[in-house]
Amino acid sequence: MFQFPKSTEYGRRIAKQKFYDNLTVNASLKKIFSEEISSIIWRNKFSPETINLAKGSNVSEIEVLLIKCNQPSIDNRVLQLIDREISFHILFLLEYNDRFQAWIGYKEASLSKADTFKVNRYYNTEWLKAEELSLSIDGLSLDAVYDNFVRQIAGDKLAVESGTDLKQAIEESAELEKLKKQIATLGTKLKNEKQFNKQVEINLEIKLLNRKLSEY
């Protein structure tokens, strides 16, 4: 598993209750949080004080949280809750039965409320053995390192051309997923449609969407 510089090691345990005891969290999410997570350890802290990287314009710190799981899956809402309560950018490392996953969300400041963040979506690796999971620290600033963490973890889920802005790449990737879902839905609809004129209309829609898809 990736070994980050010793200067970034933090090793502090965080009580699970910290993330929901003083918040308006519904009972269902609190139950999921409690059942899915065994413990949370603040594993590493990337900042100008702990590593030779410049503070970024968007990213001032990157926290690495090791989450020991009780099952081989996690509800995204659990990560969102943690992300909402920690104002810094987070790299999640999940552990279950001696296998690991890296998770990261594209986290940006909310335009509607000061000092709050939103995560549009999460990317994650497969469950891997410790020696199979690696991440490199690429970049001279925390902005660059964070962006490269997202790119490495997202892999081929993120269609990125050289020099493409990360936010733009994520938006394009989301649009691609949306188009593919629309095409799949229309394909199912076409199979079930009995009227010829309706079949023609659906076929035309599929062709238009495929043409749009090919432009990316």
Side-chain angles (χ1 to χ4, degrees), residues 96-203:
Y96 176 74
N97 278 2
D98 296 324
R99 293 290 189 274
F100 297 86
Q101 279 187 331
W103 282 70
I104 196 166
Y106 181 67
K107 189 171 184 175
E108 57 183 343
S110 172
L111 297 176
S112 59
K113 193 175 180 182
D115 299 322
T116 59
F117 289 80
K118 61 177 181 176
V119 178
N120 292 323
R121 66 159 300 168
Y122 287 94
Y123 295 100
N124 64 280
T125 66
E126 300 298 322
W127 285 106
L128 300 167
K129 295 178 182 177
E131 62 271 19
E132 296 172 335
L133 184 58
S134 63
L135 282 177
S136 58
I137 301 171
D138 295 331
L140 300 176
S141 71
L142 288 164
D143 278 352
V145 169
Y146 170 73
D147 281 7
N148 281 311
F149 278 163
V150 175
R151 293 174 194 270
Q152 290 175 71
I153 292 170
D156 58 10
K157 301 183 191 79
L158 194 59
V160 182
E161 293 182 6
S162 179
T164 304
D165 174 76
L166 180 61
K167 183 175 181 179
Q168 179 188 341
I170 287 173
E171 289 172 352
E172 288 181 2
S173 179
E175 184 61 27
L176 278 170
E177 287 183 16
K178 182 180 174 183
L179 286 171
K180 288 175 182 177
K181 285 179 182 177
Q182 288 176 327
I183 291 167
T185 300
L186 286 171
T188 302
K189 188 176 178 182
L190 179 62
K191 287 179 184 178
N192 297 326
E193 184 54 63
K194 305 300 181 185
Q195 295 183 39
F196 178 72
N197 62 326
K198 290 287 187 183
Q199 290 176 348
V200 172
E201 287 178 13
I202 295 169
N203 255 320

Side-chain angles (χ1 to χ4, degrees), residues 1 9 60 83 143 167 186:
M1 190 167 59
E9 291 179 4
S60 58
D83 256 322
D143 278 352
K167 183 175 181 179
L186 286 171

